[in-house]
Amino acid sequence: MQRLPQIERPDWRSKMSALGFGFHSIDGVYWKEHVAYRFNARQIDLFDDAVAELHAMCLDFVDDFIRAGDWTQLPLPEHAIACIERSWRRREPGLLGRFDFSWDGSGAPKMLEYNADTPTSLMESSLAQWFWKVDVQPQADQFNSLHEKLVARWRVLREQTNGSLLHFAGQYEQEEDAVHLDYLLDTALQAGWSTRWLAMGDVGWDGAFFVDHDGERIDRLFKLYPWEWIWRDGFSRHAASDAVRWMEPPWKLLLSNKALLAFLWQRHAGHPLLMPAAFAWEDLPTDTGYARKPMFSREGGGCSLHRADGALIDAERVFEEPGDWVYQSLAPLPRYEDYWTVVGGWVVGDEPAGLCIREDASAITKNSSHFVPHYFE
């Protein structure tokens, strides 16, 4: 994996805005194209296999976890647990997810986490970097089948749920979330769905069903809103009913929290794609540093990095006061110039669908970390 200088397109900002990617310059810079990461075909094949293998391991974990029924490590209300179990037993279909890895192109990628519920950076991973490649590296290829696989997946979901109208809800006041939702809504339209959108706060309850701001019943709802937030809301018991079909389904919570790291290590200790992880840092190898992560957090919130003796290396501000922690041995991120690099691997349905790269001056990746395109030869 090489980080190589590129020639910026003089009109890249207007091209990004035309795609609907309006937050390309958040905090002064978000999208970078004066550099790009280059891979070879062998590396991409290895990465594709790693994403597929990890996703299959995660689905096996969910199945065994639901069968065992031991929820002591996950602090959830009883009605949430019942809803998650019912959702999995019905095999309610999911849409997409994104693994984050420490990887420099050599050896096995090391899993840092799996966001299988509310993964963002989708527009830039799909359309933005693809059109960059077409303009700047037309002779090369890119590990990026996100758009076509999303449209195909929406068609499958429409058939499996016998649906025609799909509501989209989220925090539209946040530009990143709005762009993400608008892009997904567009891919659903291309797959034949009728769609409506509304703010998450405008989702109502009429005593029997969820309704939108016009009072129309919501039968199928894609929400860009974490399940752990829903279970803390006052209407969470309604969310646990059969009044609506959710996308992403409730069982996705089991893959989008940091406890997954410890559970996978318990099942697959020593696996080359995993780093040691546990619910207590004393259970990690004593000669390595570790990351302390809130069980439920987003965009690096509350994460901290420590040396083996517990001394703090780096920390990110806390978005909420977490009560439960997961500890993971450090998988040192590759560093190029002054930036630490995280490689993301997308899954659509059950198939690997793309690669994305974010880099930051901090070793803790967050929503404002820079996005850099990639290509392979």
Side-chain angles (χ1 to χ4, degrees), residues 4 28 41 50 56 59 68 78 90 133 159 173 257 311 371:
L4 301 176
L59 295 183
E78 288 297 324
R90 291 173 174 173
K133 186 211 78 70
E159 294 170 358
E173 69 278 7
N257 71 85
F371 191 99

Side-chain angles (χ1 to χ4, degrees), residues 291-333:
R292 187 180 77 158
K293 303 179 179 183
M295 189 174 295
F296 297 108
S297 71
R298 290 293 183 274
E299 299 171 340
C303 294
S304 56
L305 308 180
H306 302 260
R307 292 198 292 264
D309 62 2
L312 182 67
I313 300 173
D314 196 2
E316 178 58 21
R317 65 186 179 90
V318 178
F319 294 146
E320 57 185 319
E321 287 298 328
D324 297 274
W325 301 95
V326 175
Y327 301 82
Q328 184 183 42
S329 293
L330 288 182
L333 300 178

Side-chain angles (χ1 to χ4, degrees), residues 9 15-16 19 31 33 123-138 142 144 147 373:
R9 297 168 296 175
K15 286 188 172 183
M16 292 302 177
L19 288 174
W31 168 271
E33 62 173 64
M123 163 67 82
E124 48 270 48
S125 297
S126 178
L127 298 185
Q129 69 169 344
W130 177 257
F131 284 111
W132 168 86
K133 186 211 78 70
V134 171
D135 288 345
V136 179
Q137 295 288 347
Q142 189 176 87
N144 182 3
H147 189 84

Side-chain angles (χ1 to χ4, degrees), residues 170-365:
Q171 297 173 303
Y172 277 91
E173 69 278 7
Q174 297 183 12
E175 186 177 12
E176 181 184 5
D177 287 13
V179 168
H180 182 92
L181 286 161
D182 287 346
Y183 175 59
L184 281 176
L185 186 150
D186 182 64
T187 57
L189 285 171
Q190 293 181 47
W193 287 91
S194 298
T195 62
R196 289 191 177 186
W197 67 269
L198 71 163
M200 198 69 193
D202 289 335
V203 176
W205 178 257
D206 69 359
F209 302 106
F210 286 103
V211 293
D212 63 20
H213 44 285
D214 293 325
E216 180 164 354
R217 176 177 171 178
I218 299 173
D219 290 316
R220 295 162 188 84
L221 179 64
F222 179 89
K223 49 82 189 163
L224 188 62
Y225 195 80
W227 270 110
E228 63 267 23
W229 294 2
I230 290 177
W231 298 128
R232 291 200 301 264
D233 285 345
F235 66 87
S236 67
R237 290 191 177 274
H238 303 315
S241 70
D242 284 331
V244 65
R245 180 65 66 88
W246 296 94
M247 299 177 189
E248 301 285 349
W251 63 263
K252 280 292 195 85
L253 178 142
L254 292 175
L255 302 184
S256 59
N257 71 85
K258 307 305 187 295
L260 173 68
L261 304 172
F263 287 133
L264 286 180
W265 187 253
Q266 289 171 2
R267 293 165 58 87
H268 303 284
H271 194 286
L273 297 176
L274 302 176
M275 292 297 292
F279 294 104
W281 73 272
E282 295 88 350
D283 295 331
L284 296 177
T286 58
D287 59 343
T288 65
Y290 63 90
R292 187 180 77 158
K293 303 179 179 183
M295 189 174 295
F296 297 108
S297 71
R298 290 293 183 274
E299 299 171 340
C303 294
S304 56
L305 308 180
H306 302 260
R307 292 198 292 264
D309 62 2
L312 182 67
I313 300 173
D314 196 2
E316 178 58 21
R317 65 186 179 90
V318 178
F319 294 146
E320 57 185 319
E321 287 298 328
D324 297 274
W325 301 95
V326 175
Y327 301 82
Q328 184 183 42
S329 293
L330 288 182
L333 300 178
R335 193 171 189 181
Y336 297 84
E337 296 183 1
D338 296 325
Y339 295 98
W340 303 98
T341 301
V342 168
V343 181
W346 287 95
V347 175
V348 174
D350 295 319
E351 298 180 359
L355 183 153
C356 63
I357 294 178
R358 291 168 295 158
E359 61 180 29
D360 202 292
S362 165
I364 299 176
T365 307

Side-chain angles (χ1 to χ4, degrees), residues 66 71 78-92 231 237-244 246 249-251:
I66 296 295
W71 291 81
E78 288 297 324
H79 60 277
I81 292 171
C83 180
I84 292 169
E85 291 179 339
R86 185 170 64 248
S87 170
W88 176 252
R89 289 180 179 131
R90 291 173 174 173
R91 295 302 192 270
E92 292 178 350
W231 298 128
R237 290 191 177 274
H238 303 315
S241 70
D242 284 331
V244 65
W246 296 94
W251 63 263

